Every structure is written in structure tokens, then in C-alpha cells.
Amino acid sequence: MFDSATLRLERANANEREADFVLKETQMIDTRIIRILADIVGKENVSTEKADRLCYSYDATQQKFLPDVVVHPQTAAEISLIMKMANAERIPVFPRGAGSGFTGGSLPTRGGIVLATERMNQIIEIDTENLVATVEPGVVTEQFQQAVEKVDLFYPPDPASLKFSTLGGNVAECAGGPRCVKYGVTKDFIIGLEIVTPQGDIITTGGPTMKGVVGYDLTKLICGSEGTLAIITRIIIKLLPLPEAKQTMLVLFDSIDGAAQAVSNIIGHRIIPATLEFMDGRTLDCVRQATDLQVPEAAQAVLIIEVDGDKEFLAKQAQKIADIIQPLGVVETRIARTAAESEALWQIRRSVSASLRKVNPDKFNEDICVPRSKVPEMIRKVDAISEKYGISIVNFGHAGDGNIHVNVMIDKKVAGEAEKAEKAIEEVFKGALELGGTMSGEHGVGIAKAPYIPLEITEKAADYMKAIKKALDPNNILNPGKIFLDQ
Amino acid sequence: MAKLKDLEDYRDEIEQCVKCGACRAHCPVFGAERREGRVARGKVALSQAVLEGEIDFEAKVMEDLSQCLLCGSCCAGCPNKVPTDEIVAAARRRIAKEKGLSTFGKGVAAILGRPRLMNSLAKTGGKLSALIFKKLPDNSGLRLRFPLPYLEAGRTLPYFTDQPFRERCPERIEGEPGKPTVAFFTGCGINYMYPAVGEAFLKALKFLGVTVIIPKDQACCGLPAVSAGATATVEALAEQNLTALTREPVDYILTACASCNAGLVKVYGDMKGDCAELGIKTRDIFVFLLEQGLAENLAELPSVTNPVRVTYHDPCHLRTQGITKEPRDILKSLPQVEYVEMENAGTCCGLGGTYSVYHYDNSKKIGAKKAGHISASGAELVATDCPGCIMQLQDSINHAGGKQRAVHILELLSEALPEI
Ligand SMILES: Cc1cc2nc3c(=O)[nH]c(=O)nc-3n(C[C@H](O)[C@H](O)[C@H](O)COP(=O)(O)OP(=O)(O)OC[C@H]3O[C@@H](n4cnc5c(N)ncnc54)[C@H](O)[C@@H]3O)c2cc1C
Ligand code: SF4
Ligand code: SF4
């Protein structure tokens, strides 16, 4: 039984509750447990209302699992108490940031407690001397970026969801974005954490120094662990000086091979652009169909290239890139001179999501990653799969790091299409693995990709990982059933 | 017959929500209170659950659905353009139908629908409200914006005019031959609170030689009733306005109030029935003035040595319709104005029709952010295109201890134009 003394349980039970506090028993959780939770975080931060349970039942996978209770803690100490209680009572706990995940990491698949970090949204410190910041996990990515940019500092990781995703979610998924080709992914900027372990201890990993080799690198272990090994309560982030300026160019190619070759050649010339985004011919077809943006018929692939750095170098570098790629079947090159022009160039990329939807109602968005040079080969494989199953698949993504967003587009209402899509996706994963790639570059495994884990990870490697989980979370309380469905 | 859509009619739009969460970046209510039930995605999920019979309109569902400014910011930022504002309004209508109008909603319907209730209302009200209500006719939407709790919350209110705008001006002002004829839909804000804006409107159109018709029997656009879920009231007001605005042939119906504009264009435009026509003819005043070439006229005016620093606030009801450039263009071409853009000019002021009546605390939080941006811009004046925003902006500035004044662009335009 759970030790009541430490958790002020006695007081919780003895205290008379105010009449307006709704106590509704749910399947897993009785009023006693709700009282304990209310005692830990305050009754206004615990809810068993159906409306709240519904609002915390989904994420961007559009799947839905009702939790029994939603809690909004504010401190590591509160989370520690929640985890201790959850262990004693064997109630699963599901950490949740903004619920923008694409693989269901935050979904309360086994009921229990959703632990939302929405109240933990303070930027604690931006240390301009050491170029290090400390934040709480619920801080929204873009808000953090804007705050550091105000003092001429720079936090590069830029998932497309940066306007709403949380840094806690970014760390848990090791999120990436266009700028990662030059600067690296989320974990490359995380140098320390404060975490609550599955059993409720508060520990710190790493610290505010650029170096540190004492003990195992737990910081890196937690990055990308999808909320299964710890709840992140503080994040120490390394920052860079803000580049003075950036320049954007958009290049239309007559083939995907030309675009891919361009990527290799640019990098071969020792230029690492801040961004190297591509869209394939099928994506452009959708954009042409759904918008009135200017995309010449001859264009079969597009690269959006952004270079950043000192002002004087940029124009020169952009010109150099234009020269390097000119022989590779370039249909047209557009270079932006102002911020507004740059925004106009991005318009094509930003219109993709809505365009796809206009053309097909449902899509499965996978984010495989292959070695950079294998991008054209991978796209040919995808084209073949698309033909085999007679369903439309479009590709776009981060050419610089071989991260391809493969979008399988169907209409779920048409019988058989969902099954076809599933088969096609499995073949896409296999194709990526054959080329030395991975099933997911950014979005993680969660539940969506969990069934495919054996394709990529050997049994021995999986056992190694599961042993870690088992040792740290013997009662399987924290985000159970994620990554490994059988956990 | 004017007929508003049911929640059922929004099934497809609701299904368009892919739960991506992008609206978390745009919803002002969520910005003030970070809970999923407060954001568009949550409100859509709840509406969906109601449609599927998974949940009833229990207290918490109604509370979340009441926490919406109907500002449309979420829809503008949504990759699938899910019209959460319309969905929430439809859900509120369904609540009203199933549960009866809320006390406040009842007030709305009563005031707008049954004129005689006004006296008893004024009697039960405090001194201040009695004073205001005396000056406000029975069917004014402003009555909805100033019920008792609102007045008692320490709010600064504009002065209420003794002589409403539409009572001071003739019903028709003849312009020059060959120039367009327009109907001026004044809305309640200009008519009862800011008649000077109406005067400025007339001066600008006179300058251009446009013929203006100001039908005396036009009514409130009905947006406050939309906000409260009072279906029949909205439909009745739409009918009345249809009669008033189509009596004489006009080329355009002009508004100088963002909310009225959205009322006519979006709410009427979406209705089943003849009222949809009104939406097609309706233009915002600055869109019209630009089309008529006013910017060139302004460019010819002599410049001023001591310009005043002015910034612009985007009313949600224009911004979400894509009208952001035209008001700025006019403002920038005024000789006495030094234009500065403020950060987050496009975020909501926090008024949201009847929202601030129910939720003054959140409304104040949203307004305080705005006041901060205005102050940081260094502007002396914040100009906008909506009486409701002017009122809320001034209230927020006052609470923040600022010195800036909130004005309508038309007032500045009127200053710049020569007397004729
Ligand atoms: C439109 C759109 C575009 C996207 N683009 C990208 C992209 O370009 N790149 C990319 O990498 N991803 C992208 N994503 C996916 C998603 O935004 C990221 O995975 C993001 O990091 C999730 O953050 P979140 O705050 O929404 O976390 P949630 O979805 O709430 O949770 C994600 C995971 O993190 C865990 N978690 C959250 N907070 C904590 C915490 N404090 N401690 C421990 N675990 C925690 C959860 O348990 C869960 O497993 C996109 C999503 C959408 C909807
Ligand atoms: S942005 Fe639109 S699609 Fe995304 S969750 Fe919000 S309402 Fe739904
Ligand atoms: S209409 Fe405005 S307040 Fe309502 S959900 Fe959308 S953004 Fe939020």
C-alpha cells in the first residue's frame, strides 16, 4: 500500500472537500486516488470530467484513448509525488506536451493518468555569458526561439510544429527540422536535464558546461526516449550566436536526380546550407492542382536552399550555389532579396500540406531517413510501390539529411484503401532499411510505428533496450506500451 | 427566410480537423489559459463528441464552449481552415435549443426581440447601467455588451451619446452623378458610442462625391446574439436589415466596423435564404476608399511638420477575412501620420462580442498583452477599424497605465481631408 504519511494522504482523507469539487469515479481510479492527486497539485489541476478526459484523449495521429484523469502539475516535486503514488497504486502515467506528436507518444493507451506539462512553461534563465538557457518542459519551441533571438542568440532546431510543440516534447521525440542539416537535431543542443524517474526520484543529468564525461550520458539516453524512461522537468540548452542574415533560393529541376545531385555537389563544395528542402514531382503536381502558385510544367523537383551567416558572404555564396547546380537540369532559379520575397518562395513548401488534402482526403505521413546519396533511389522505390498498389504517394522533406516525408494518400472511405496503404507503408519501411536507412528520422515510434520495430531493430538490440526500461521502471508505470508494444 | 446552419450542418468541417494542434499558436483564449478545452482543437473535439452522442452538454462542455471569442484566428491559422468560430456558434445555438438560453443569452434575446422589456431591465439595473440603458434603444447590440456584471467590473467605457448618429443625419446624402451609391451600415458602436466616426465616414464619402443612404430602420447586425447562441434573434435581425438595406438600389453596403462587416459577410453570407445577398454587396470602408482611388488624393495633400506616431491594430473580423493591407494603406498615406507597425498587430484585443461579459478576467489578460505591444511600438495613437476594438483597446491601455489613445482610422482621415 502506498505510504500515506509522506504524501499527506491522511490530511487528504480527513480534509473535508469543498462541495463543488467534482469527484467522479472512473474505471481505474477511485475517489481516494483523486483526492491524493488533488492534494498534490491542487484540486483545480485535477480533472475527471468527461470533457477534460476527451480533450486529452488525442494527438496528431487522430487516435483517441480516454484517460481516467488529467493532472496539471507545476513542479518536479509534485511530479515526484505523483509517480510514487502511481507506482504504489499501479496506475499508468502518460506525459504530454502539446499533443502534436505524429506517432501517439502521448496517448493514454491504457487509461490512467495524463500528466500535462502546460503549466510548466517558464523560461528560467537565458545566460548570455555562457550561451546556455534553462527552461521548463512546457515552453513552446518558437516562444523560446524568439526569446533567445531578442538577445542575438540562436536555438536552431525547427520542427514544422515549432509554433505549438513544446520543448519537452521536442526533447522526448528528439525533434528535427530543415535547419538540422547544418546545425543538428534537438539532442545536439541539450546538455543537461532535470528529470523525475519512473519511480519518483528527482535527479539531474549533465549540466550547464559544454563538456562533461562523469558517468553514463543519461542526457542523451533521455533525449528521444518518448517519455518512457523519465519525465523531463527542466532542460538545459546550449545556444549559438544568431547568424547575421540569411538568403533563400528556390531551384526548379527537370528531374529528381538533378535535385539530388545538386545536394551532393553543394555539400561537396564544402558549403553546408542552413536548409535544403526538396519536393518531388508528384508533390508539385498536387501544388499545381490545388493552388495558383507558379510551378512550370517542366519542373519535376524543387529544392529550397537557405544559406545563413555574415551578410557579405551570403550573396556570394548564393551565387556560387547557383553556378554549381546550373548544369544539373535547372529549369529556373529564384533568389529572394528581401524577407518578403523569401516568404514568397517558401509559399510553395507551405502550401503542400493543404494541397495534398485537397487532392486526397486522408494521408499517412511517414518520415523515413536514408543516406543522403540514396534519396533518388528511395524515391524510385516509392514510385514503384505507389504503382504496385495503385495509390498516390508523394515525397518531400529534408534532402540535406536524407529525411523523406513519404505521404501515402488515400480516401479511407473507399473500401480496401486503408489496407493497401498499410501494406505500402511496410514496403516503404523495408525499402528504406535496405538502403541503410531508418523508419523514422523525426517523429519517433510511439504506437504508430511500434509494430514495425522488428524490421529495424534486432531482437538482441531490442532486449538491451527493454532491459533498460525494465530496470528503471519495474512496474511499467511510465508511458507503457510505447515503442515496444509488449512492454 | 433567413436561416442559420445547425451544428449537424458542420459535420464535414468538424471532420476536417486533423488534431494537429496548430491552433494552439493562434487562439487568444488558449494563450490566456493553457488548457486543451480552451483551444479550437478541444472545442472541435467536444462538438464532435456531442454530435456523436458521446457526451451531453454538461457543465464543463458548456464552459469550454463559452470560452471562445469567435474571433476566427484559429481558422486563419489552421492548415485545413476548420471554421471553429462557426462551429462553436452553432454549438451554442444547439445548447440554447436543448437547454434553453443561458441567463445572459436570455437577456440577449429578450432585449433584441421584445422592446418593452427594456424598462424593467433599466429598473433592476444599477445607476450606471440605468443611465446607459436610457440612452440605448431596445434593439441595440450594445445592450448585450453592457449588462450588469460588465459594468461592475471596473471597466472604462466610452461616453454614450445623447443623440445617436442615425438620428442626426439625413437618410440620403446626394453625391455627384456617375459616382456609386452606397448604403452605410453603421452598426451599434458608431450609432451610440462613436458618432464622430460616422461623421468622419460621411465626410470621406462626400469628398469622393459618393451618394450615401443611411436607412434609419437598420438594426444591430446580430453578432452579439450569434455569440450568445440566440438563433431566432439573429435570424430576425437579419430579416430586418435585409428589408432596410434593399429598399433602395445600392452598389455597395459599407461598414466601418469589423464585427458588423463579418456579421454581414460571413454570418449572413452563410445563411440559407435571401440574406446571403447582403454579404455579397458588403465592403469594408477602406477597401472601398482604396478602390475609389482615395490614396492618390491623399498623396496630393501637403505634408505636416509634426506628424503623430500611429500604429494599427488588426480587428480579428477583418484580419481573418484577409483584410489587413487596405486599412494600413490609408493610414500610411495620411499626411499627419508617421506609421509604425507594432509587434503582434494581428492578435485579438480580447473583447470577442459577449465573451468579455462572461470572462472579463481572461479578456483582461488578452488585452494586457495587446497594451504591452502598443506601448512597445512607441506610438501615441493606436488606430483601428472597429468600435468594439477601440473600446477594448482603450480599456486595456487604461488598465496598463498607458497614455496612448485608441481611435478609428476614419477620425484621422477626417482630420486630414479639407473642409468642403
Ligand atoms: C503539423 C505538424 C508538423 C510537425 N513537424 C515536425 C517536424 O518537422 N519535425 C519533427 O521532429 N516533428 C514534427 N512534428 C511532430 C511533433 O510536433 C513533434 O514530435 C514534437 O516534438 C512533439 O511535441 P509535443 O509538445 O506536441 O509533444 P507530445 O505530442 O505531447 O508528446 C510527444 C512525446 O513526448 C513525450 N513527452 C512530452 N513532454 C514530456 C516531458 N516533459 N517529459 C517526458 N516526456 C514527454 C510524450 O509522452 C510523448 O511520447 C509535427 C507535428 C505536426 C502536427
Ligand atoms: S489547427 Fe485546425 S486542424 Fe489543426 S487542430 Fe486546430 S482546428 Fe484542428
Ligand atoms: S474563434 Fe478565436 S477564441 Fe474561438 S477557438 Fe478560434 S481562436 Fe480561439
Side-chain angles (χ1 to χ4, degrees):
Chain A
M1 219 353 245
F2 175 61
D3 175 8
S4 59
T6 46
L7 279 187
R8 298 164 287 162
L9 215 193
E10 234 106 56
R11 191 160 67 79
N13 284 336
N15 263 6
E16 233 183 88
R17 298 281 131 190
E18 283 160 48
D20 66 339
F21 182 37
V22 190
L23 292 174
K24 285 185 189 150
E25 294 208 10
T26 52
Q27 232 169 351
M28 191 178 303
I29 295 187
D30 57 28
T31 51
R32 186 182 51 88
I33 287 170
I34 295 160
R35 286 205 172 111
I36 299 170
L37 287 170
D39 217 42
I40 297 170
V41 295
K43 67 179 178 358
E44 65 284 3
N45 296 309
V46 182
S47 179
T48 49
E49 289 279 351
K50 183 82 179 284
D52 288 321
R53 291 163 57 212
L54 273 168
C55 283
Y56 288 86
S57 68
Y58 51 71
D59 72 356
T61 54
Q62 297 188 63
Q63 300 199 46
K64 187 162 129 188
F65 296 89
L66 272 191
D68 290 280
V69 55
V70 181
V71 293
H72 277 89
Q74 195 162 34
T75 64
E78 288 172 1
I79 294 176
S80 156
L81 292 176
I82 294 169
M83 289 315 294
K84 286 184 180 160
M85 186 275 283
N87 264 279
E89 303 289 340
R90 302 287 194 270
I91 301 168
V93 175
F94 298 88
R96 178 185 154 109
S100 75
F102 267 146
T103 47
S106 68
L107 295 176
T109 43
R110 298 183 188 178
I113 301 172
V114 162
L115 187 152
T117 60
E118 281 157 336
R119 289 172 70 219
M120 305 177 74
N121 65 341
Q122 297 304 306
I123 296 174
I124 294 161
E125 190 192 12
I126 298 173
D127 176 350
T128 51
E129 239 166 74
N130 295 304
L131 309 196
V132 167
T134 308
V135 302
E136 291 185 336
V139 172
V140 172
T141 316
E142 185 184 59
Q143 281 169 11
F144 176 64
Q145 288 176 333
Q146 286 170 347
V148 301
E149 283 171 26
K150 278 209 175 109
V151 289
D152 285 327
L153 294 174
F154 187 37
Y155 174 67
D158 55 346
S161 51
L162 61 85
K163 281 183 189 302
F164 45 97
S165 68
T166 66
L167 286 167
N170 290 171
V171 174
E173 296 286 3
C174 189
R179 288 202 291 241
C180 296
V181 56
K182 175 166 177 180
Y183 294 102
V185 293
T186 301
K187 71 172 173 221
D188 298 314
F189 291 84
I190 308 306
I191 55 176
L193 295 170
E194 175 192 79
I195 56 174
V196 176
T197 68
Q199 303 203 68
D201 297 317
I202 303 173
I203 63 171
T204 56
T205 75
T209 56
M210 292 301 140
K211 298 175 178 175
V213 291
V214 178
Y216 295 141
D217 190 347
L218 296 181
T219 310
K220 288 281 188 287
L221 177 66
I222 301 304
C223 286
S225 67
E226 305 192 22
T228 62
L229 298 182
I231 298 176
I232 300 155
T233 51
R234 260 182 205 206
I235 308 168
I236 306 178
I237 300 173
K238 160 176 103 170
L239 301 168
L240 295 177
L242 184 66
E244 193 179 44
K246 66 178 177 200
Q247 184 145 28
T248 312
M249 55 198 291
L250 181 139
V251 190
L252 300 142
F253 293 87
D254 62 9
S255 74
I256 188 76
D257 295 84
Q261 195 56 47
V263 171
S264 302
N265 289 11
I266 292 166
I267 292 168
H269 275 81
R270 307 288 177 268
I271 299 173
I272 305 267
T275 297
L276 262 172
E277 293 288 289
F278 86 99
M279 282 160 269
D280 74 353
R282 289 172 189 246
T283 309
L284 294 178
D285 287 341
C286 287
V287 172
R288 282 191 203 98
Q289 242 174 290
T291 72
D292 44 18
L293 294 167
Q294 289 299 315
V295 186
E297 286 299 326
Q300 283 305 309
V302 162
L303 279 185
I304 297 179
I305 306 166
E306 223 163 56
V307 286
D308 65 357
D310 290 349
K311 260 202 191 97
E312 308 90 85
F313 291 115
L314 287 187
K316 243 169 60 189
Q317 214 173 43
Q319 192 51 52
K320 191 169 168 195
I321 291 176
D323 294 343
I324 295 169
I325 61 183
Q326 196 51 45
L328 300 170
V330 172
V331 177
E332 191 185 329
T333 303
R334 303 176 190 164
I335 300 184
R337 265 157 258 284
T338 62
E341 281 179 20
S342 156
E343 193 45 41
L345 294 186
W346 275 104
Q347 206 47 46
I348 292 188
R349 174 65 182 82
R350 296 201 210 291
S351 75
V352 167
S353 198
S355 301
L356 298 191
R357 218 183 148 72
K358 266 192 202 163
V359 179
N360 280 76
D362 304 299
K363 71 172 186 202
F364 294 91
N365 170 1
E366 302 302 340
D367 72 319
I368 57 165
C369 197
V370 295
R372 195 150 50 208
S373 61
K374 296 280 178 19
V375 169
E377 204 175 330
M378 187 64 221
I379 291 197
R380 272 191 289 276
K381 276 184 189 245
V382 174
D383 282 350
I385 295 168
S386 162
E387 236 149 78
K388 176 172 165 194
Y389 290 98
I391 46 180
S392 183
I393 309 183
V394 308
N395 306 291
F396 53 90
H398 319 306
D401 38 39
N403 191 184
I404 309 173
H405 290 283
V406 177
N407 286 266
V408 181
M409 310 208 303
I410 56 159
D411 186 345
K412 275 188 200 160
K413 292 199 185 91
V414 178
E417 290 228 326
E419 292 73 38
K420 273 197 226 164
E422 236 161 73
K423 284 192 191 134
I425 288 167
E426 183 162 346
E427 285 196 28
V428 168
F429 288 157
K430 283 185 180 151
L433 294 170
E434 279 159 22
L435 296 177
T438 170
M439 301 190 308
S440 177
E442 294 180 334
H443 299 161
V445 176
I447 52 170
K449 292 190 183 175
Y452 304 106
I453 277 255
L455 294 179
E456 178 157 346
I457 298 178
T458 62
E459 211 180 314
K460 283 265 178 290
D463 286 346
Y464 200 75
M465 294 181 192
K466 289 182 194 170
I468 296 175
K469 169 74 175 165
K470 192 140 190 91
L472 297 177
D473 188 7
N475 299 318
N476 203 19
I477 294 301
L478 190 57
N479 216 356
K482 303 297 168 65
I483 307 179
F484 301 105
L485 287 174
D486 57 351
Q487 282 273 295
Chain B
M1 260 303 283
K3 195 99 193 69
L4 286 162
K5 287 200 217 164
D6 292 331
L7 186 57
E8 196 65 43
D9 296 326
Y10 285 100
R11 206 175 262 281
D12 283 349
E13 283 89 343
I14 288 173
E15 273 171 20
Q16 289 288 310
C17 173
V18 292
K19 306 281 184 294
C20 66
C23 40
R24 289 169 73 101
H26 303 286
C27 175
V29 175
F30 180 73
E33 214 176 338
R34 301 171 53 78
R35 294 284 164 105
E36 185 70 27
R38 301 299 197 233
V39 80
R41 179 171 63 170
K43 292 168 211 171
V44 173
L46 291 176
S47 305
Q48 191 165 24
V50 166
L51 269 183
E52 279 158 16
E54 195 178 349
I55 195 169
D56 184 25
F57 282 124
E58 45 194 61
K60 187 64 179 42
V61 178
M62 302 217 279
E63 187 193 323
D64 282 333
L65 290 172
S66 83
Q67 286 278 4
C68 177
L69 294 150
L70 305 187
C71 65
S73 304
C74 48
C75 181
C78 168
N80 300 324
K81 297 282 167 276
V82 176
T84 305
D85 48 345
E86 292 175 28
I87 294 167
V88 169
R92 288 183 189 173
R93 289 198 286 278
R94 175 139 163 186
I95 293 174
K97 202 164 112 193
E98 281 181 21
K99 303 258 161 183
L101 282 174
S102 66
T103 329
F104 175 58
K106 268 185 206 144
V108 175
I111 292 160
L112 294 178
R114 279 189 289 151
R116 261 172 299 134
L117 265 180
M118 174 224 161
N119 287 335
S120 59
L121 235 177
K123 254 180 251 157
T124 51
K127 260 192 184 155
L128 181 55
S129 70
L131 212 77
I132 289 170
F133 277 124
K134 233 180 249 170
K135 292 177 183 170
L136 282 179
D138 309 340
N139 68 348
S140 162
L142 289 180
R143 288 181 162 275
L144 318 177
R145 287 198 173 163
F146 303 109
L148 287 177
Y150 189 92
L151 293 170
E152 283 160 358
R155 203 179 270 268
T156 42
L157 287 171
Y159 173 77
F160 279 77
T161 175
D162 285 328
Q163 199 192 7
F165 173 71
R166 289 200 299 268
E167 282 173 28
R168 326 175 162 188
C169 60
E171 217 166 359
R172 185 182 179 98
I173 300 171
E174 209 53 50
E176 295 159 20
K179 293 285 172 73
T181 299
V182 303
F184 179 15
F185 186 80
T186 66
C188 301
I190 290 175
N191 198 36
Y192 303 113
M193 290 194 299
Y194 300 105
V197 175
E199 309 282 359
F201 179 100
L202 294 181
K203 185 172 170 187
L205 292 197
K206 193 169 177 193
F207 179 81
L208 289 171
V210 172
T211 297
V212 189
I213 295 165
I214 312 126
K216 288 223 192 299
D217 55 341
Q218 59 177 285
C220 169
C221 68
L223 219 55
V226 169
S227 176
T231 316
T233 311
V234 183
E235 291 170 354
L237 289 169
E239 290 284 341
Q240 186 177 340
N241 284 323
L242 182 67
T243 312
L245 294 166
T246 53
R247 191 173 303 114
E248 291 193 58
V250 295
D251 299 309
Y252 300 107
I253 300 164
L254 298 186
T255 63
C257 166
S259 299
C260 293
N261 188 277
L264 267 57
V265 176
K266 283 183 65 188
V267 179
Y268 294 5
D270 249 11
M271 277 185 172
K272 305 165 186 165
D274 296 340
C275 288
E277 267 172 52
L278 293 182
I280 298 170
K281 277 201 172 165
T282 302
R283 294 279 177 288
D284 170 66
I285 176 69
F286 299 109
V287 173
F288 177 77
L289 291 176
L290 270 191
E291 275 171 16
Q292 297 295 313
L294 186 75
E296 288 86 70
N297 295 325
L298 292 172
E300 287 163 14
L301 296 174
S303 66
V304 170
T305 38
N306 276 327
V308 52
R309 278 191 147 202
V310 186
T311 191
Y312 176 68
H313 160 75
D314 285 288
C316 298
H317 285 141
L318 289 184
R319 177 176 48 82
T320 53
Q321 299 187 68
I323 303 172
T324 54
K325 186 174 168 295
E326 294 85 351
R328 281 185 175 78
D329 281 356
I330 294 284
L331 200 51
K332 286 177 188 166
S333 52
L334 293 176
Q336 84 275 31
V337 166
E338 181 197 336
Y339 183 77
V340 287
E341 180 77 23
M342 71 169 130
E343 218 180 292
N344 292 325
T347 55
C348 181
C349 66
L351 184 72
T354 53
Y355 178 82
S356 73
V357 175
Y358 278 128
H359 307 297
Y360 189 40
D361 279 352
N362 268 354
S363 172
K364 267 200 294 198
K365 270 195 222 164
I366 299 167
K369 284 191 196 166
K370 196 86 216 185
H373 296 308
I374 294 168
S375 163
S377 75
E380 297 157 65
L381 301 180
V382 51
T384 188
D385 188 4
C386 180
C389 296
I390 295 177
M391 187 176 78
Q392 169 79 359
L393 290 170
Q394 196 64 61
D395 187 46
S396 305
I397 293 169
N398 294 352
H399 275 290
K403 293 212 167 34
Q404 305 85 1
R405 264 193 324 120
V407 297
H408 199 289
I409 302 173
L410 280 173
E411 297 174 82
L412 299 174
L413 171 61
S414 163
E415 259 174 41
L417 291 175
E419 295 301 329
I420 28 172

